[in-house]
Amino acid sequence: MFQSRCCTCTALLVLAALAMVAKADQEEKHCDLVGDTAKESKREQALLKKLEALSVQRFEKNVSPNAEENYTYVFKVCREVNSSLPQSGLVQINEKDQKRTVVGRINETQVFSGSDWIMLIYKGGDSYGSHCSGEKRKAMIMISCNRKTLANGFTLLSEEREKEQECLYLFEMDSSVACPPEDSHLSIGSILLITFASLVAVYIIGGFLYQRLVVGAKGMEQFPHFTFWQDLGNLMADGCDFVCRSKPQNAPAAYRGVGDDQLGEESEERDDHLLPM
């Protein structure tokens, strides 16, 4: 009886351990930066976090360098392309024999950026055969800023394999995640204008409420400093008339009425000839 219980407990422990291993294998793998984890750059970590928006997408590009070669490149951002190819971040598939070659792995990642681009590098790919001294393959993906799309235009630019060392596959694609934050389009003049308009609105509304509720003004007198603005308007009208009038001040009038100077002095004896002698 005791032995059967021990066997049952042992079996349960084994099953639990296998379940934990299976769960760990099923968990999605992420990009692991090259070098010691404790010494990873905060800038690189921030860039990887920025690229997380692209991790749910799968990118493919078919390339035929010549009539004898036809390849399809499959790429995922910080995710495995195929679980049967451990840590595969970018895979080359030969369409003739369906041979799969890992170009770069996500557990050997480098990333850096410029003002409007991000360079993602996967190292640790499968080794070359007769090229590049048998070194491991490396993929470089240039992600350029394009605010109109989340991700588009994945393509192979070149494959540098006619060298002794530092061979690479160079890809490019467009994405809005590579764009810098948009600056405010408001100029200094616009900001000053908005500030001035806000102050004027506060002055008018606050003054109106004060005149109406505290002073008890009615009609146009509710406008703050109504007398001052009225006088100012009159002064401005006078100034405009003075500056913009079309004739000088000393110009003679177009019409002169009959005045005393035209009638002349009345003669005191103008009716004397009518009197009887």
Side-chain angles (χ1 to χ4, degrees):
M1 186 72 179
F2 178 74
Q3 289 181 345
S4 62
R5 289 183 177 178
C6 289
C7 291
T8 302
C9 292
T10 303
L12 290 174
L13 290 173
V14 171
L15 289 174
L18 291 174
M20 292 178 64
V21 171
K23 184 178 180 181
D25 290 338
Q26 291 176 357
E27 289 181 354
E28 284 189 319
K29 296 180 174 61
H30 299 71
C31 282
D32 186 13
L33 295 170
V34 175
D36 189 358
T37 304
K39 298 181 180 179
E40 290 181 352
S41 167
K42 291 184 178 180
R43 178 177 175 81
E44 287 183 312
Q45 292 176 353
L47 289 173
L48 291 180
K49 186 175 181 180
K50 197 174 183 181
L51 292 173
E52 277 293 315
L54 306 179
S55 62
V56 297
Q57 300 196 38
R58 179 186 177 97
F59 306 96
E60 296 186 7
K61 180 64 179 179
N62 183 264
V63 178
S64 298
N66 51 58
E68 298 179 357
E69 296 179 309
N70 186 9
Y71 301 104
T72 296
Y73 292 91
V74 185
F75 164 60
K76 294 193 74 173
V77 178
C78 292
R79 294 293 187 275
E80 280 185 327
V81 171
N82 194 321
S83 58
S84 63
L85 300 172
Q87 305 291 345
S88 56
L90 201 153
V91 176
Q92 179 195 70
I93 303 174
N94 191 326
E95 294 296 339
K96 290 189 174 182
D97 56 11
Q98 294 301 307
K99 179 184 178 182
R100 300 182 179 185
T101 303
V102 178
V103 179
R105 289 184 163 84
I106 61 176
N107 62 334
E108 295 188 37
T109 301
Q110 285 183 310
V111 61
F112 54 92
S113 66
S115 60
D116 58 353
W117 54 267
I118 298 175
M119 179 67 78
L120 180 66
I121 302 174
Y122 290 158
K123 294 183 176 182
D126 294 343
S127 300
Y128 283 99
S130 57
H131 302 286
C132 305
S133 304
E135 69 177 8
K136 291 184 177 182
R137 288 174 169 83
K138 176 174 64 175
M140 302 181 68
I141 303 95
M142 170 70 78
I143 305 173
S144 302
C145 170
N146 186 345
R147 298 188 186 276
K148 298 181 179 180
T149 180
L150 177 61
N152 192 22
F154 174 68
T155 186
L156 173 68
L157 291 181
S158 65
E159 178 187 0
E160 299 291 336
R161 63 179 185 179
E162 304 301 329
K163 301 189 296 184
E164 291 294 328
Q165 293 179 336
E166 298 298 325
C167 297
L168 58 90
Y169 292 77
L170 180 60
F171 299 84
E172 73 169 355
M173 63 180 291
D174 296 333
S175 175
S176 58
V177 301
C179 298
E182 291 189 88
D183 297 331
S184 174
H185 296 294
L186 293 177
S187 63
I188 297 178
S190 299
I191 295 174
L192 292 176
L193 183 61
I194 293 173
T195 303
F196 176 75
S198 301
L199 293 175
V200 170
V202 171
Y203 167 75
I204 293 175
I205 296 174
F208 176 85
L209 294 175
Y210 176 81
Q211 291 291 109
R212 183 179 181 85
L213 301 178
V214 178
V215 179
K218 302 293 182 181
M220 292 299 294
E221 293 181 355
Q222 296 175 97
F223 193 88
H225 302 101
F226 174 73
T227 305
F228 168 77
W229 293 115
Q230 190 177 43
D231 293 341
L232 179 63
N234 293 333
L235 291 173
M236 292 175 63
D238 292 342
C240 182
D241 179 66
F242 177 79
V243 173
C244 301
R245 68 179 66 193
S246 59
K247 59 182 181 179
Q249 292 181 344
N250 56 0
Y255 169 77
R256 294 183 63 190
V258 179
D260 294 337
D261 57 338
Q262 292 177 305
L263 295 176
E265 295 183 0
E266 293 185 358
S267 174
E268 295 181 357
E269 299 179 352
R270 62 184 180 279
D271 294 330
D272 292 344
H273 65 283
L274 298 176
L275 297 175
M277 297 300 293

